[in-house]
Amino acid sequence: MNPKELKNRLDARKSGSDDFYLLDVRNPNEQEISTIEGTDLLIPVAELPTRIGELDSWKSSGKEIIVYCRSGARSANACGVLKSTGFSKVFNLEGGILLYSDEVDPSLAKY
C-alpha cells in the first residue's frame, strides 16, 4: 500500500466508510518522534512473535491490517510474521513513515 492510499483509507475511516487496523512496528522511542495519526497499536517487530496474542481479536474481526515502520523493511517482516500465523488481510506501507511524510504529511518529523 502506498502512502496516498493509506491517507485515503484513514480519511474514509474517519467518516465511517472504511474500517481497518493500523499497526506500528517501530520502537517506542521512534513513536515518540512521530506517528501516523490513526495508529491503533504499537508492537515493536522484535516483540511481535511473543505478543501476537494481543491481535487475536483483530484476526477474528476479518478486518485488514496495515503495518508500518520507518522505511518499510521491518513492517514487511512483520507482515510475513502475521501471515504465517493466520492473518490473511495484511498490507505493508511502502516506504514507511518516511515516505508518508514526504508524500502526505510533511509535518511528521523524520529521523
Side-chain angles (χ1 to χ4, degrees):
M1 174 169 298
N2 70 51
K4 291 179 183 178
E5 289 170 329
L6 175 58
K7 173 63 172 146
N8 290 338
R9 300 277 312 266
L10 286 166
D11 290 344
R13 185 166 77 166
K14 284 181 187 176
S15 69
S17 62
D18 197 352
D19 201 10
F20 61 91
Y21 294 110
L22 184 57
L23 176 63
D24 182 352
V25 294
R26 299 173 301 148
N27 294 314
N29 64 311
E30 293 175 284
Q31 189 183 45
E32 291 174 12
I33 297 168
S34 62
T35 191
I36 296 174
E37 184 179 340
T39 298
D40 294 296
L41 185 62
L42 168 71
I43 299 180
V45 71
E47 297 175 15
L48 190 57
T50 60
R51 294 180 59 189
I52 202 86
E54 293 177 38
L55 305 176
D56 284 345
S57 64
W58 290 19
K59 186 188 295 185
S60 62
S61 75
K63 294 179 190 175
E64 294 176 350
I65 300 173
I66 302 168
V67 186
Y68 76 94
C69 64
R70 180 176 180 263
S71 65
R74 286 177 286 176
S75 52
N77 181 33
C79 287
V81 170
L82 291 169
K83 288 178 181 177
S84 73
T85 58
F87 291 86
S88 58
K89 299 177 181 178
V90 180
F91 301 91
N92 183 34
L93 177 62
E94 297 170 8
I97 198 168
L98 291 176
L99 191 58
Y100 190 86
S101 175
D102 286 343
E103 295 186 357
V104 175
D105 186 357
S107 71
L108 289 173
K110 289 185 172 185
Y111 59 96

